[in-house]
Amino acid sequence: MAGQVATGSRSGLRSALPLLVPAYLWLTVAIFLPLSAMVFFSFMTELPLPGKAWSFTLDNYATFFSQPLYLTLLAASLRLGLEVTLWCIVIGYPAAYVLAKVFRGRSREAIFLLVILPFWSNGLVRIFSWAMVLREGGILDSALNAVLPFNINIDLMYSYPAVIIGLVHSYVPYMVLTCYLTLQAIDDSLIEAGRSLGASRLQMLKRVIIPLSMPGLVAGAALIFVPVVGSFMEPRILGGRTGTFYGTVIEDQFVAVFNWPLGAALSFILLAVVLVILALASPVLKRAA
Amino acid sequence: MAGVQVANLSRSFGAHTALDDVSIDFADGGFYALLGPSGSGKTTLLRQIAGFDFPDSGRIAIGGESVERVPVEKRRIGMVFQNYALFPNMSVADNVAFGLSVRGEAKATIQSEVQRALDLVQLGKLGARRPHQLSGGQRQRVALARAIVTKPRVLLLDEPLGALDKALRVDMQIELKRIQREIGITTIFVTHDQEEALTMSDRIGILRDGRLVQEGPPEEIYDRPKSEFAATFLGDANILRGETTGTGIRLPDGTAIAAGAGATLAGGATASCAVRPERIRIGTDSGTSDPNANMLRGQVSKRIFAGNNSTYFVDRNGQTIKVTVQNTGVEKLAEGQKVVLRWSPESTVLIAAS
Ligand SMILES: Nc1ncnc2c1ncn2[C@@H]1O[C@H](COP(=O)(O)OP(=O)(O)OP(=O)(O)O)[C@@H](O)[C@H]1O
Ligand SMILES: [Mg+2]
């Protein structure tokens, strides 16, 4: 997909350059400057506050490798990212398919709104409302007990599943949106052509629809996986004591322990790992698409 | 191969009746054109036969087997779409192989069948290309190869040449006809191009507002249209209206027009006569001619030159009659000239008022 952009003529590219200036200016100011400050911090012994002596060091990075806890947490976070991404595919892709290929007109707009509604609510409100649903004596627990003839005790609060539920809920709209866009671009006559050739719905899905919507799946997965690996809010609020992940440790360095240099170093290690994973995955995904 | 029988087929979308009691017998191995104005139900009829949509009532049989409730993937039909509908994620060869591979055919069989189908549409060397690397005509050939490689019982085409320019269109008409003959497949072809319908098909069905207006071989529909609509939709026709005399009509001014073809009607009712512009002789003299011929006088109001022929618009008592003459390079009639029109009763079709 990205390859098609490069086929534009050189003069076309040159005349488009001025259009890119605002975007690059914004990227420089909003991302590059703070990020370079963080790179700088990550090589310091102390925050450069008045009255404190500091020097350059590699200790912050060494800490990550000397204490196995960090590696364990990173692995847990990567697993969390993978699981949440998979759940988002499992839930988001069929929803996007139904939205793009089954619903028409008004009802499509209505359902679309429902899907992106979580986007518009405050992240904390979203998470705390899940807390109300998932805790013992909460909404899920009471509702199930009201319906079922026997007594059950559901307390998902402060557990790994709660973290997964909260994160999937926050991030599934990305998957729905990116998949919807690619699915909706698939001409209905392709599906009809396939069926007239004798393909079952499952065969159509496997051979035509999924391959053609792969760019949306990949984009959605990247949009979800990366922030989930570094997430801290959902794990902290919904996970309680089980919710210690790489992201929460980084957050701790910044807001609790006040060890910004270590927090920055841990962040960059995460960034490097994520970039390596995306780089390794991209040829495989490109072939699948 | 198999014939297709459609009987009393009806389909409505809400309050709109898209197909209204349509019955047609598509003969085994025949080439059938469905012709009609936009919105007349051609696509709807084709989709019922294909199985993309199901009728409210009526019967559809393919090869004698009733298929109304059989889903499209089980009907063993081949379909060609106006926009080609090739799978963009597959090579040309994989597109053609698709129908065989979803049936689980052996690799070697698939390969040889695909090559044969591609050779048949003269694209034997382009198997490795992607659809977007082909021209419009080539894509349509791939779509055709993909539709016939599975040896379907019928081939359904919905305006397959609609997106091509005129020259390519004529090439593809010949090509399509050749392939159809070669494999002898029952073919149902939707078009809104009357010339295409006339030149390609064994039989034509004309649809209007979801009803089958007339059905038969091209010559029959052209020479003996059963309605004013059929007469004017397929080719050009002059319509003269009056009171029927049983074997012709009397125009309001008393002139008798004799008809040698068409319906036989009881006298007195209103009726019309249709006559093709190329069947009328135009001249300035009033003498020497067949006494049985129909004759009208008028005045040339316009002449349109179209290369190999010219069309004169002749005004007679306020009605315009079109006359087409071959361009022999001899005579030319000026605008405003008084003329005499003559044509034989055999060229005149009597049509009951609808
Ligand atoms: N799915 C549908 N829902 C509602 N109305 C429909 C549907 N499909 C067809 N129609 C209506 O049925 C009528 C016949 O449509 P159809 O597509 O068969 O026409 P057509 O003869 O193929 O026309 P064209 O030459 O423009 O392709 C039209 O009035 C159309 O609006
Ligand atoms: Mg149509």
Side-chain angles (χ1 to χ4, degrees):
Chain A
M1 286 240 117
Q4 280 162 10
V5 178
T7 59
S9 70
R10 282 188 73 90
S11 67
L13 202 67
R14 199 167 310 143
S15 66
L17 275 180
L19 299 175
L20 294 174
V21 169
Y24 276 107
L25 221 58
W26 165 250
L27 283 177
T28 313
V29 175
I31 297 178
F32 188 69
L33 290 182
L35 216 58
S36 10
M38 278 295 155
V39 174
F40 194 61
F41 285 161
S42 72
F43 291 103
M44 292 167 128
T45 50
E46 287 281 349
L47 268 186
L49 294 175
K52 284 203 177 172
W54 60 272
S55 59
F56 284 112
T57 175
L58 283 175
D59 279 358
N60 297 316
Y61 287 93
T63 309
F64 173 84
F65 294 101
S66 60
Q67 297 194 20
L69 172 68
Y70 291 115
L71 206 61
T72 314
L73 287 176
L74 181 59
S77 280
L78 289 174
R79 184 183 145 209
L80 182 71
L82 203 65
E83 276 186 39
V84 169
T85 306
L86 286 178
W87 280 113
C88 283
I89 291 174
V90 167
I91 296 168
Y93 191 82
Y97 182 84
V98 170
L99 212 53
K101 291 286 165 221
V102 180
F103 286 109
R104 296 268 178 264
R106 265 287 148 83
S107 47
R108 177 190 285 184
E109 287 165 26
I111 311 251
F112 207 91
L113 264 181
L114 281 180
V115 170
I116 58 174
L117 213 56
F119 266 166
W120 298 344
S121 61
N122 178 289
L124 271 177
V125 170
R126 221 184 302 148
I127 297 167
F128 277 111
S129 57
W130 271 113
M132 307 246 294
V133 172
L134 297 175
R135 74 185 150 82
E136 186 174 15
I139 297 172
L140 184 65
D141 195 23
S142 325
L144 280 180
N145 277 317
V147 177
L148 295 174
F150 48 89
N151 224 25
I152 55 165
N153 196 0
I154 290 202
D155 182 12
L156 283 174
M157 202 51 200
Y158 306 129
S159 70
Y160 188 67
V163 177
I164 297 266
I165 289 173
L167 283 168
V168 168
H169 179 239
S170 296
Y171 286 98
V172 81
Y174 289 101
M175 188 58 78
V176 176
L177 281 177
T178 57
C179 289
Y180 171 79
L181 288 177
T182 48
L183 282 168
Q184 179 250 16
I186 299 174
D187 196 329
D188 285 345
S189 68
L190 286 186
I191 297 168
E192 293 191 336
R195 295 188 57 211
S196 77
L197 290 165
S200 66
R201 282 163 202 274
L202 204 68
Q203 283 171 319
M204 275 316 286
L205 196 69
K206 223 177 77 191
R207 291 173 173 234
V208 178
I209 297 169
I210 291 182
L212 286 179
S213 55
M214 199 43 102
L217 273 170
V218 171
L223 281 176
I224 293 167
F225 179 75
V226 176
V228 166
V229 172
S231 66
F232 54 88
M233 211 157 63
E234 288 88 351
R236 192 175 295 286
I237 298 169
L238 297 173
R241 256 189 313 141
T242 63
T244 307
F245 287 93
Y246 197 74
T248 58
V249 169
I250 294 177
E251 191 212 4
D252 279 340
Q253 304 312 314
F254 282 100
V255 303
V257 189
F258 225 59
N259 188 352
W260 284 30
L262 179 58
L266 292 176
S267 299
F268 284 111
I269 289 167
L270 175 61
L271 184 63
V273 169
V274 164
L275 285 179
V276 167
I277 289 174
L278 290 184
L280 288 179
S282 80
V284 181
L285 293 172
K286 213 169 274 166
R287 199 163 338 117
Chain B
M1 297 312 135
V4 177
Q5 287 79 41
V6 163
N8 308 105
L9 210 64
S10 294
R11 175 75 168 108
S12 300
F13 298 105
H16 181 80
T17 308
L19 280 183
D20 188 3
D21 197 28
V22 172
S23 303
I24 310 182
D25 199 341
F26 302 92
D28 190 359
F31 194 113
Y32 209 107
L34 291 175
L35 190 64
S38 188
S40 57
K42 307 181 293 290
T43 298
T44 307
L45 177 55
L46 207 66
R47 292 174 64 82
Q48 313 293 315
I49 297 170
F52 294 126
D53 190 33
F54 297 101
D56 300 328
S57 62
R59 289 196 53 247
I60 304 169
I62 299 177
E65 171 206 345
S66 198
V67 295
E68 298 93 53
R69 296 292 152 198
V70 177
V72 51
E73 56 268 31
K74 301 252 166 62
R75 282 197 193 182
R76 295 202 284 129
I77 50 116
M79 179 102 187
V80 176
F81 296 81
Q82 179 171 1
N83 64 354
Y84 323 123
L86 298 176
F87 305 125
N89 57 318
M90 300 178 199
S91 69
V92 165
D94 288 344
N95 262 280
V96 178
F98 187 86
L100 296 170
S101 83
V102 295
R103 281 176 175 75
E105 301 278 351
K107 271 237 164 61
T109 319
I110 294 178
Q111 209 164 22
S112 67
E113 291 291 315
V114 166
Q115 196 53 48
R116 232 175 33 171
L118 283 176
D119 287 340
L120 188 65
V121 297
Q122 303 180 345
L123 288 180
K125 293 196 175 65
L126 299 187
R129 291 223 193 145
R130 287 288 176 115
H132 68 87
Q133 297 168 316
L134 300 178
S135 72
Q138 289 171 332
R139 283 181 213 188
Q140 200 50 279
R141 285 163 200 255
V142 177
L144 187 62
R146 183 179 68 174
I148 59 180
V149 76
T150 56
K151 302 199 167 57
R153 300 186 286 182
V154 269
L155 182 60
L156 307 172
L157 307 104
D158 194 353
E159 305 205 26
L161 311 180
L164 305 179
D165 64 48
K166 183 73 187 169
L168 194 54
R169 217 180 150 105
V170 173
D171 283 353
M172 280 302 291
Q173 286 172 5
I174 296 168
E175 184 79 2
L176 183 59
K177 191 69 197 170
R178 172 184 69 81
I179 292 166
Q180 191 266 339
R181 284 235 180 80
E182 207 165 312
I183 58 179
I185 188 171
T186 311
T187 301
I188 306 175
F189 183 95
V190 165
T191 177
H192 60 247
D193 182 336
Q194 43 152 313
E195 208 179 301
E196 198 164 273
L198 284 171
T199 55
M200 296 181 75
S201 43
D202 309 326
R203 289 178 87 85
I204 296 177
I206 297 183
L207 287 170
R208 181 196 196 185
D209 296 336
R211 286 171 182 274
L212 185 67
V213 174
Q214 191 171 352
E215 186 273 323
E219 291 89 349
E220 184 186 303
I221 299 188
Y222 190 80
D223 291 339
R224 288 189 296 284
K226 286 186 180 144
S227 61
E228 287 184 15
F229 177 80
T232 51
F233 190 76
L234 192 74
D236 214 344
N238 293 296
I239 303 289
L240 302 164
R241 297 197 182 87
E243 192 176 274
T244 175
T245 57
T247 56
I249 59 169
R250 196 181 314 283
L251 300 180
D253 66 1
T255 313
I257 303 289
T264 37
L265 301 171
T270 56
S272 43
C273 280
V275 55
R276 300 286 177 193
E278 74 277 11
R279 298 286 180 86
I280 303 178
R281 277 164 288 136
I282 186 168
T284 49
D285 60 316
S286 53
T288 68
S289 194
D290 178 2
N292 292 328
N294 292 308
M295 191 188 82
L296 292 175
R297 288 171 194 281
Q299 192 177 10
V300 175
S301 63
K302 199 164 60 173
R303 169 174 174 262
I304 291 177
F305 176 67
N308 63 349
N309 66 54
S310 294
T311 298
Y312 290 100
F313 290 75
V314 177
D315 184 69
R316 179 194 178 269
N317 294 352
Q319 183 178 10
T320 300
I321 297 170
K322 281 191 255 179
V323 182
T324 303
V325 296
Q326 286 303 306
N327 183 7
T328 54
V330 185
E331 56 188 323
K332 236 192 255 174
L333 296 164
E335 288 178 6
Q337 199 160 359
K338 293 216 169 3
V339 289
V340 180
L341 308 178
R342 287 198 182 81
W343 70 94
S344 73
E346 289 72 47
S347 299
T348 314
V349 186
L350 183 60
I351 294 169
S354 47

